[in-house]
Amino acid sequence: MNHIETEKEQKWEGMKLEFESHSYNEGFARVVVAAFMARMDPTVEEVDDVKTAISEAVTNAIIHGYQNGEGIVVIQAKRRERTIQVSIHDDGVGIKNITQAMEPLYSGLKGGERSGMGFSFMEAFMDEVNVESELGKGTTVTMTKHLGHTIYK
């Protein structure tokens, strides 16, 4: 019997990675997610887009979430057909005003060398970006990329 699954019937395949909130782990996170999406036969540009978004989200978790302190960053990724969804979570300080934090050039850190473009880059390189945060409990950034087509914003 030959059965073609519909999109709703297709199951998500997933992975989970936890690591300490040290900046040197950002590169590790990029490589792991790139390896996970390799089976989807992405273009080099699609891999680079996802890796850039991962870098920004992980850096935000480390720099803003834990304010360069100790903590655990959790990445969960899942794929189905030509869609990859990646969530980056920290149990850090949380974001007081998500709308403001997502504005270009806004940085919650005063006097630092940060450009405040992290969320802008995530939105530019991914098709969907969702941020959930609670003060004192942490932040989860969930990003989705549909491979094989470009969405112009």
Side-chain angles (χ1 to χ4, degrees):
M1 183 170 131
N2 209 359
H3 176 70
I4 299 174
E5 294 180 274
T6 66
E7 187 171 322
K8 289 185 179 193
E9 292 174 329
Q10 295 166 349
K11 298 207 181 329
W12 287 94
E13 296 175 315
M15 54 126 326
K16 182 177 180 179
L17 172 69
E18 296 182 11
F19 55 90
E20 294 177 351
S21 61
H22 300 292
S23 59
Y24 55 79
N25 282 329
E26 174 266 328
F28 175 64
R30 288 168 47 102
V31 171
V32 169
V33 174
F36 177 71
M37 68 183 290
R39 199 165 151 219
M40 300 170 69
D41 196 27
T43 65
V44 172
E45 182 177 315
E46 289 168 335
V47 173
D48 286 345
D49 288 354
V50 172
K51 287 170 61 176
T52 299
I54 297 295
S55 291
E56 295 298 332
V58 168
T59 298
N60 277 359
I62 294 167
I63 301 296
H64 297 283
Y66 292 117
Q67 300 181 348
N68 285 317
E70 297 291 319
I72 299 294
V73 177
V74 179
I75 296 181
Q76 289 185 282
K78 56 186 184 177
R79 65 184 177 214
R80 178 173 65 192
E81 286 295 305
R82 305 290 294 151
T83 299
I84 184 165
Q85 187 174 77
V86 183
S87 295
I88 291 86
H89 175 79
D90 66 71
D91 291 320
V93 299
I95 300 172
K96 184 176 183 178
N97 183 331
I98 294 172
T99 303
Q100 183 180 38
M102 292 183 75
E103 290 178 10
L105 303 178
Y106 176 81
S107 178
L109 299 177
K110 304 299 177 210
E113 298 179 14
R114 300 285 159 201
S115 67
M117 295 298 291
F119 284 120
S120 296
F121 285 139
M122 288 178 231
E123 290 178 321
F125 291 110
M126 301 297 278
D127 296 319
E128 301 166 32
V129 176
N130 182 52
V131 181
E132 296 177 8
S133 189
E134 188 174 340
L135 288 178
K137 299 212 177 190
T139 302
T140 301
V141 176
T142 302
M143 304 175 290
T144 304
K145 178 91 171 165
H146 305 288
L147 306 184
H149 64 87
T150 304
I151 294 178
Y152 295 97
K153 297 181 182 180

